[in-house]
């Protein structure tokens, strides 16, 4: 009788395995492979370990011919169904071998066989159907927290891990059917096949996609995070069970209850681990299915783009977009969600009409992904999905407001460094000119709501304690910063057009209240943005890009002007609520009945207009001068004295740079002389449009400050264009002369005198027809102011004005905003009263007189006696001189230039300059007799100061004479000196 077998060798199988079963087992390198009957399972595992050469031979045999020939060789004649079953089992066995064979040669050979082996839907679909959970026996579902388990695993590691799990979980299956019978829930086998299909093409894609989609729908509620089973299985429940059982055998009776509890706990732990593993496997299967569907959709999309038909069209029609959205919403971790979002991005491009109804849902999924997962890959996938669904939304004719509102509402929950990327993706996926204004309005509206929201108790103290960190965390701060960064994403010209669209959009979002907080924030935001260095540099470069930039500037200026006019109209309605109500122009007149409400509205309107003025100042640096000045003149023509005054002052500031503009045009390279002349003429034409404003009858009824602003603007244009275009400027000079002589305001008279000085400097001899009126206005101003400044009180007031920097001729003629404010303060100041105003006017008159002497000296002969008497008045002479009024005390050095007068240093210096220029500008034959005739007047003025000044003027005239001229006038000069030195005088 045969000897009994050792205990480690199993008994021989009852039924010998067939050649087909042995081949599959060899290929799978394990007796527990799918499709291997129990007869093969009972074979010793050691036999498989030593059968590596046999496995290699089997792999080479399969690779040598189609599986149909191999099937016929193994089983003879077989049906088509049996062939497909064998085909499916062969693919699964090869997948196991390529992933987990101990031999590298076998793994490489199995991978090569799979690559060469054709796979059809008949082999795949039964496996996917068999993976469906059986009725009444679903996979155990485990609830998972919303937090993500970690970073997504790399695709290269997933097949090995899943294949190992499949080998560990695979049980004895019969040889009929495609590995398992349908309904047994063998998801591990489906995972093996899905891993192969990630890179292996399959015949009959539409049937495979339909079956995979059915499996995905069944697994949607059973998915678990992929990373959880590793921690759940780390405790090794099987080893715990064995240890508990071993302890129970040797334990006393008293500890049996404890051992039973341990066994129960171990069983529960094992069940929990099994449940976690099954839900994780479901999640991994869902990820594989989504990736498979994405590959099919992407191939079809490429065929659409190449305008050719292909086999993927039917499979694409089978794909269910609502199911993909549902899976993305219920995804247990970032791996499944990223796979679903990638598929949605492809489907949005291939089927835009189908994705239209799910755009907002996709946005919500992207927001959740960005908020819960902060890895780069998830962020990139979310942005790709967002960019893909936006075109479908826009093609359907829907607006961008809902999209931007959804994105901005989700910003607080996102990491700070991910917010700008999400906004930029939406901006790049939509038309920038339409999208950026909508985005900015939404962001600024959120900032306005944050500012208006009530602050909790102790919030201010906490912010003071945190300092700058607290300011950075405030939504009103980072929302504005995001708006700034987002606006920098578009070109300069498009940015300005968007800013122009932002202004009316902000008013519309604020219920057409131009003075509301949101429009004020929008205006302030735009004013800050247009002052950026990049915009200024872009403007100075010139060229076509600069032309596009000017279009944006003009559009922005037009919107700002319209908003100013609306605010002025609203202010007028507040000032006259009764008349507005009668006209029916004020729909909200009931609100203005409350005085406090009126004050709040007036303050809001004032702040809004001030913000728009700052916007105009910012446009001055980047907007073309002609367009900028014309726009300001249109604003000056609008009703409202304050608006007109501010527009004229801005115009004066811009016109002050006209000489620089003409110089730049002259030296601009690459332009012909004719083009340069045309550009200069266009610029001058725009500047000369201020002349009708000065001659307008409505200017007479305007305030003194507005009249002064108009004269400042006119003077600035005179300095810039007077020499080249004198006629249109001199045509309105009588208006300036009239203001200099007849206006009731000292500031307006001073500005008129400054205009006369500028006309004399720039127009020269062309001013001769207007010389009688101009000289009369100047001399009248000097005589009236000198009489006012001849008292000690006037002297003290003049000293105060000189210390304040007011009264200098250069300041009286300067057209900039700083000087205008000083002149406004001079008019409104109470200290010094009329004497202080007279000092300012006298300084302006001396400036005008000096210009007339320098440019029109030979034509001043009829006015010289009066002119000299004014220049010899004590009010124009320096103090402390020659024993006259205000002489220094004994032992003190006399002040430099002291002449015994009452003038402040600045006025005395201006008068000295005019007196010194007379001998060189007026011929001696015209000047000497008026000088000699002023001697009695100088002696009668009191003190020696006027006479000494006269003597210096005569000395200067004699020193500048030529010999022939001196010979002709020497007797008259000696006679004058004898009269001046007479003791009786």
């Amino acid at each position: 009788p045969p000897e009994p077998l050792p205990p480690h060798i199993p008994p021989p199988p009852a039924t010998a395995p067939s050649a087909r079963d042995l081949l599959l087992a060899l290929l799978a390198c394990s007796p527990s492979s799918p499709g291997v009957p129990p007869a093969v399972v009972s074979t010793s595992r050691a036999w498989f370990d030593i059968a590596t050469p046999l496995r290699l031979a089997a792999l080479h045999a399969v690779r040598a011919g189609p599986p149909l020939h191999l099937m016929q060789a193994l089983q003879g004649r077989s049906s088509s169904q049996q062939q497909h079953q064998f085909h499916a089992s062969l693919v699964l066995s090869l997948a196991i071998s390529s992933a987990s064979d101990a031999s590298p040669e076998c793994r490489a050979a199995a991978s090569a066989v799979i690559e060469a082996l054709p796979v059809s839907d008949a082999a795949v679909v039964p496996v996917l159907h068999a993976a469906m959970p059986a009725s009444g026996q679903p996979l155990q579902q485990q609830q998972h927290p919303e937090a993500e388990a970690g970073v997504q695993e790399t695709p290269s590691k997933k097949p090995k891990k899943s294949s190992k799990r499949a080998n560990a979980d695979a049980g004895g299956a019969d040889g009929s059917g495609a590995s398992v019978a349908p309904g047994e829930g063998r998801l591990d086998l489906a995972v093996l096949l899905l891993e192969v299909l990630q890179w292996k093409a399959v015949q009959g894609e539409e049937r495979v996609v339909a079956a995979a989609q059915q499996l995905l729908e069944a697994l949607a509620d059973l998915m678990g995070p992929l990373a959880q089973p590793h921690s759940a299985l780390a405790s090794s429940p099987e080893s715990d069970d064995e240890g508990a059982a071993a302890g129970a055998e040797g334990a006393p009776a008293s500890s049996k209850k404890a051992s039973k509890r341990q066994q129960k706990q171990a069983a529960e732990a094992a069940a929990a681990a099994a449940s976690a593993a099954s839900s994780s496997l479901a999640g991994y299967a869902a990820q594989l299915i989504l990736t498979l569907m994405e590959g099919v959709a992407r191939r079809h999309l490429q065929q659409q783009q190449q305008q050719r038909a292909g086999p993927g069209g039917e499979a694409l029609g089978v794909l269910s977009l609502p199911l993909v959205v549902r899976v993305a919403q219920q995804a247990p971790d970032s791996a499944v969600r990223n796979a679903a979002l990638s598929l949605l991005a492809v489907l949005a491009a291939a089927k835009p009409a189908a994705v239209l109804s799910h755009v907002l849902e996709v946005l919500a999924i992207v927001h959740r992904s960005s908020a819960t997962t902060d890895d780069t890959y998830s962020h990139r996938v979310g942005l790709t999905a967002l960019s893909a669904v936006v075109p479908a939304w826009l093609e359907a004719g829907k607006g961008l407001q809902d999209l931007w509102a959804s994105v901005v509402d989700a910003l607080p929950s996102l990491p700070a460094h991910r917010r700008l990327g999400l906004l930029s993706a939406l901006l790049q996926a939509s038309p920038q000119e339409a999208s950026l204004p909508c985005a900015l309005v939404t962001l600024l509206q959120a900032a306005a709501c944050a500012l208006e929201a009530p602050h909790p108790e102790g919030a201010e103290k906490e912010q003071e304690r945190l300092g700058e960190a607290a300011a950075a965390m405030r939504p009103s701060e980072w929302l504005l910063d995001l708006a700034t960064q987002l606006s920098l994403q578009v070109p300069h010209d498009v940015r300005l057009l968007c800013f122009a669209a932002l202004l009316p959009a902000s008013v519309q979002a604020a219920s057409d209240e131009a003075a509301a907080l949101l429009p004020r924030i929008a205006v302030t935001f735009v004013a800050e943005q247009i002052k950026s260095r990049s915009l200024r540099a872009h403007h100075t470069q010139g060229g076509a890009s600069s032309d596009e930039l000017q279009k944006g500037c003009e559009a922005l200026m037009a919107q700002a002007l319209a908003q100013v006019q609306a605010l002025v109209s609203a202010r007028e309605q507040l000032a006259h609520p009764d008349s507005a109500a009668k006209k029916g122009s004020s729909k909200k007149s009931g609100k203005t009945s409350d005085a406090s409400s009126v004050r709040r509205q007036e303050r809001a309107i004032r702040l809004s207009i001030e913000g728009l003025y700052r916007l105009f100042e910012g446009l001055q640096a980047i907007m073309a001068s002609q367009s900028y000045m014309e726009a300001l003149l249109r604003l000056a023509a609008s009703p409202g004295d304050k608006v007109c005054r501010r527009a004229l002052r801005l115009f004066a500031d811009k016109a002050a740079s006209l000489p620089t503009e003409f110089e730049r045009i002259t030296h601009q390279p690459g332009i012909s002389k004719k083009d340069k002349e045309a550009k200069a003429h266009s610029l001058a034409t725009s500047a000369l449009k201020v002349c009708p404003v000065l001659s307008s009858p409505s200017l007479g009824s305007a305030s003194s400050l507005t009249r002064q602003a108009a004269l400042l603007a006119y003077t600035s244009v005179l300095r810039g264009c007077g020499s080249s275009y004198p006629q249109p400027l001199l045509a309105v000079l009588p208006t300036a002369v009239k203001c200099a002589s007849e206006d009731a305001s000292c500031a307006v008279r001073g500005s008129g005198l400054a205009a006369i000085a500028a006309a004399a400097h720039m127009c020269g001899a062309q001013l001769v027809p207007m010389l009688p009126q101009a000289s009369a206005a100047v001399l009248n101003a000097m005589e009236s102011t000198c009489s006012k400044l001849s008292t000690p009180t006037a002297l003290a007031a003049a000293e105060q004005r000189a210390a304040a920097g007011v009264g200098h001729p250069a300041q009286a003629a300067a057209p900039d905003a700083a000087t205008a404010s000083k002149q406004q303060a001079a008019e409104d100041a109470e200290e010094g009263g009329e004497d202080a105003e007279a000092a300012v006017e006298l300084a302006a008159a001396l400036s005008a007189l000096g210009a007339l002497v320098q440019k029109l000296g030979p034509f001043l002969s009829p006015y010289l006696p009066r002119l000299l008497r004014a220049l010899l008045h004590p009010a124009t002479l320096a103090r402390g001189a020659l024993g006259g009024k205000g002489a220094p005390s004994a032992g003190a050095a006399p002040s430099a230039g002291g002449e015994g007068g009452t003038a402040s240093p600045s006025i005395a210096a201006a008068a000295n300059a005019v007196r010194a220029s007379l001998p060189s500008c007026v011929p001696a034959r015209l000047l000497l007799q008026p000088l000699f005739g002023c001697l009695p007047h100088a002696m009668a003025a009191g003190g020696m100061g006027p006479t000494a000044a006269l003597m210096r003027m005569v000395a200067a005239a004699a020193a500048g004479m030529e010999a022939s001229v001196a010979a002709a006038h020497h007797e008259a000069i000696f006679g004058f000196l004898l009269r001046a030195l007479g003791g009786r005088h």
Side-chain angles (χ1 to χ4, degrees), residues 650-713:
L650 291 172
F651 182 93
D653 291 342
K654 187 63 178 180
S657 64
L658 284 175
T660 305
E661 291 282 340
F662 286 123
E663 186 72 14
R664 183 182 61 82
I665 293 174
T666 303
H667 296 90
Q668 188 172 359
I671 299 180
S672 64
K673 183 179 179 181
K674 184 177 180 180
D675 292 338
K676 291 179 180 179
E677 292 176 353
K679 292 184 69 173
H681 179 73
S682 175
L683 178 60
T685 303
S686 300
L688 292 173
K689 291 182 180 179
V690 75
C691 296
V693 177
L694 185 63
S695 60
S696 174
S698 60
L699 189 63
S701 59
S703 65
S704 60
L705 294 177
T706 302
R707 297 197 301 274
Q708 181 187 12
L711 287 169
L712 289 174

Side-chain angles (χ1 to χ4, degrees), residues 385-637:
L386 175 64
S387 303
V389 299
V390 172
W393 181 272
L394 297 178
E395 288 179 5
K398 298 191 179 234
L400 290 164
Q401 185 61 42
D402 293 337
L403 297 181
W404 281 111
S406 174
V407 172
V408 173
D409 290 344
L411 289 179
S413 62
L414 303 184
H417 62 286
R418 298 298 186 193
R419 293 167 180 164
L420 181 60
L422 191 64
L423 296 173
S424 300
L426 181 53
L427 178 64
Q428 298 300 327
S430 54
Q432 294 180 347
E433 292 186 12
S435 185
L436 183 58
C438 186
L440 295 178
V441 167
T442 309
L443 287 169
L444 298 182
Q445 192 169 24
C449 294
L451 288 174
E452 292 178 336
H455 299 284
E457 288 187 26
E460 296 182 358
K461 294 183 179 180
E462 182 67 15
Q463 289 180 1
E464 291 179 0
R465 185 181 67 84
L466 295 176
E468 296 181 358
M473 290 187 295
R474 287 197 297 264
S476 59
E477 297 294 333
W478 59 259
L479 283 168
L480 292 175
D481 184 64
L482 281 177
T484 300
Q485 297 298 324
L486 189 63
S487 64
L488 296 176
Q489 305 291 324
V490 301
H492 299 86
D493 51 347
V494 178
R495 191 186 315 168
L496 287 177
L497 291 173
C498 294
F499 289 160
L502 170 62
L503 297 185
S506 64
V507 175
Q508 184 179 3
S511 302
D512 294 331
E513 291 286 346
L517 179 59
L518 175 58
R520 295 206 306 269
I521 292 177
V523 169
T524 303
F525 173 79
V526 173
E528 292 297 327
Q529 296 305 310
I530 62 177
K531 293 179 181 178
S532 64
R533 294 182 180 179
S534 60
L535 273 176
R536 296 189 180 187
H538 189 75
H539 168 62
T540 56
Q541 291 175 359
S545 59
S546 181
D547 296 339
E548 296 296 328
L549 183 69
Q550 292 308 314
K551 292 180 181 179
C553 290
E554 292 173 4
L556 181 58
M557 175 65 86
Q559 292 296 336
L561 292 176
Q563 196 158 330
V564 169
Q565 292 171 354
L567 289 167
V568 171
S569 177
R571 184 168 59 188
E572 293 295 330
Q573 292 178 7
L574 286 176
H576 306 89
D578 296 336
S579 60
K582 290 179 182 179
K583 293 180 182 180
S585 58
S586 178
K587 298 180 180 179
K588 301 182 179 180
S589 58
K591 294 184 178 180
T592 61
S593 59
D594 187 3
S596 61
S597 176
V598 170
R599 286 194 297 270
R600 286 194 300 269
Q601 293 183 41
E602 288 178 345
R603 180 176 180 273
I605 291 174
R606 184 177 68 255
L607 293 175
S608 300
I609 294 178
E610 289 296 327
L612 287 166
Y613 289 153
R614 289 192 295 272
L615 192 152
F616 293 145
E617 293 172 0
L619 281 173
Q620 179 179 348
I622 61 174
M623 191 173 179
S625 299
Q626 53 266 35
S627 302
Y628 182 76
M629 291 188 292
E630 291 176 1
L632 289 176
L633 291 178
R634 289 195 299 271
L635 179 62

Side-chain angles (χ1 to χ4, degrees), residues 850-877:
L852 291 174
V853 170
Q854 290 179 7
K855 298 296 181 179
L856 301 172
F859 302 96
L860 293 177
S861 177
Y863 319 106
L864 283 177
R866 189 179 175 187
L867 184 153
L868 292 173
R869 287 195 296 269
L871 287 175
L872 295 176
H873 194 281
T876 63
L877 301 175

Side-chain angles (χ1 to χ4, degrees), residues 241 244-245 247-248 251 253-268:
D241 292 343
S254 59
S255 61
K256 287 184 178 180
K257 293 183 179 180
S259 63
K260 289 182 179 180
R261 284 195 301 269
Q262 293 177 358
Q263 292 177 359
K264 184 178 180 181
Q265 292 174 357
E268 292 176 353

